[in-house]
């Protein structure tokens, strides 16, 4: 049974408090405060399961490392700790992985599935923290826009290497042989998505819209 986190002092909560939280506690440690994250949606859970499946299918035959899901904690600093949706650690990654989380080190890949309410947190705050840790690669998946971005660390900051949408096929160079058809991530909604990520009915409406020859 997990020990409840202690009441905050003038310093607030710490990493030690964070790792004592129960596994089903969705809060993350943000500058000494335990901030509750939103409960995952059906689309979020489906995408995480599928991406985890694709990664494991690549990792296991190659004995290429370990993949962890969202309950596994990652220490950013003594007053910051997060639970990425997915983490990948290569076989030669020297990071020491404790049962409750990573205290010192970083994953080789982090994946976050964003929502309208979490996008700013994932794209700004977490992005900066992952860069500070030196995480080489960060994938951001947005089920609302049917998009996946692959960011790679360059000179201490992230640069977009791939920006894919709709029914595109994702083949990350760092995982040779891995092939992810994005339409599989979107589930039932994929039937209404065009190759560029736009809903097919909206594109059809645009294609059929009358042209005003008198327009300037």
């Amino acid at each position: 049974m997990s020990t409840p986190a202690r009441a905050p002092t003038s310093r607030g909560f710490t990493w030690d408090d964070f790792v004592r939280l129960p596994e089903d506690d969705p809060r993350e440690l943000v500058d000494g405060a335990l901030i509750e994250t939103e409960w995952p949606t059906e689309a979020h859970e489906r995408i995480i399961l599928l991406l985890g499946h694709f990664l494991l299918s690549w990792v296991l035959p190659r004995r290429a490392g370990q993949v962890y899901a969202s309950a596994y904690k990652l220490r950013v600093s003594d007053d910051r700790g997060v639970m990425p949706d997915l983490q990948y650690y290569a076989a030669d990654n020297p990071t020491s992985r404790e049962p409750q989380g990573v205290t010192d080190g970083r994953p080789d890949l982090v994946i976050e599935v964003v929502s309208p309410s979490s996008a700013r947190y994932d794209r700004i705050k977490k992005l900066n923290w992952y860069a500070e840790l030196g995480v080489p690669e960060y994938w951001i998946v947005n089920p609302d826009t049917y998009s996946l971005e692959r960011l790679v660390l360059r000179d201490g900051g992230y640069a977009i290497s791939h920006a894919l949408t709709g029914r595109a096929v994702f083949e990350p160079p760092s995982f040779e042989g891995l092939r992810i058809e994005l339409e599989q991530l979107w589930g039932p909604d994929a039937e209404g998505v065009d190759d560029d990520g736009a809903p097919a009915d909206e594109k059809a409406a645009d294609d059929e819209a009358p042209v005003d020859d008198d327009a300037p």
Side-chain angles (χ1 to χ4, degrees):
M1 182 174 183
S2 300
T3 303
R6 62 173 171 77
T9 66
S10 58
R11 292 191 306 113
F13 290 98
T14 68
W15 168 258
D16 290 337
D17 302 310
F18 181 46
V19 295
R20 292 191 187 105
L21 295 175
E23 289 186 1
D24 59 352
D25 191 315
R27 290 177 293 176
E28 294 188 320
L29 182 63
V30 181
D31 298 326
L34 289 170
I35 305 298
E36 186 167 345
T37 59
E38 66 177 13
W39 288 100
T41 63
E42 183 272 338
H44 180 282
E45 292 297 271
R46 180 184 68 244
I47 291 170
I48 291 303
L49 284 172
L50 285 169
L51 286 173
H53 164 72
F54 293 139
L55 281 175
L56 282 171
S57 296
W58 184 89
V59 166
L60 292 177
R62 296 168 173 81
R63 299 183 180 181
Q66 297 289 334
V67 178
Y68 296 94
S70 56
Y72 196 62
K73 297 177 172 66
L74 174 64
R75 182 182 183 274
V76 180
S77 66
D78 194 47
D79 64 352
R80 293 174 178 171
V82 295
M83 296 182 290
D85 287 327
L86 283 172
Q87 304 176 61
Y88 163 68
Y89 294 82
D92 60 355
N93 187 325
T95 295
S96 176
R97 297 185 287 278
E98 304 296 332
Q100 294 171 306
V102 170
T103 301
D104 185 19
R106 50 79 178 156
D108 293 278
L109 166 68
V110 163
I111 303 176
E112 297 284 5
V113 177
V114 305
S115 66
S117 61
S118 73
R120 181 176 177 84
Y121 179 46
D122 291 327
R123 288 184 174 278
I124 298 177
K125 194 177 289 289
K126 279 189 171 181
L127 182 146
N128 289 329
W129 291 352
Y130 295 151
E132 289 174 8
L133 286 174
V135 178
E137 198 161 332
Y138 182 22
W139 300 355
I140 300 176
V141 182
N142 189 332
D144 291 330
T145 58
Y146 308 107
S147 64
L148 183 152
E149 293 172 90
R150 174 180 181 258
L151 290 79
V152 294
L153 193 65
R154 294 175 182 165
D155 300 322
Y158 283 112
I160 297 176
S161 171
H162 294 68
L164 306 174
T165 60
R167 298 175 181 269
V169 176
F170 179 41
E171 299 179 89
S174 48
F175 295 82
E176 185 177 356
L178 177 62
R179 176 185 170 90
I180 300 175
E181 297 180 4
L182 294 191
E183 66 177 308
Q184 295 184 43
L185 302 181
W186 317 138
D189 295 338
E191 297 180 3
V193 178
D194 210 315
D195 290 345
D196 61 2
D201 54 352
E202 290 185 9
K203 185 168 184 179
D206 291 340
D207 292 342
E208 296 172 2
V211 177
D212 184 355
D213 294 331
D214 296 328

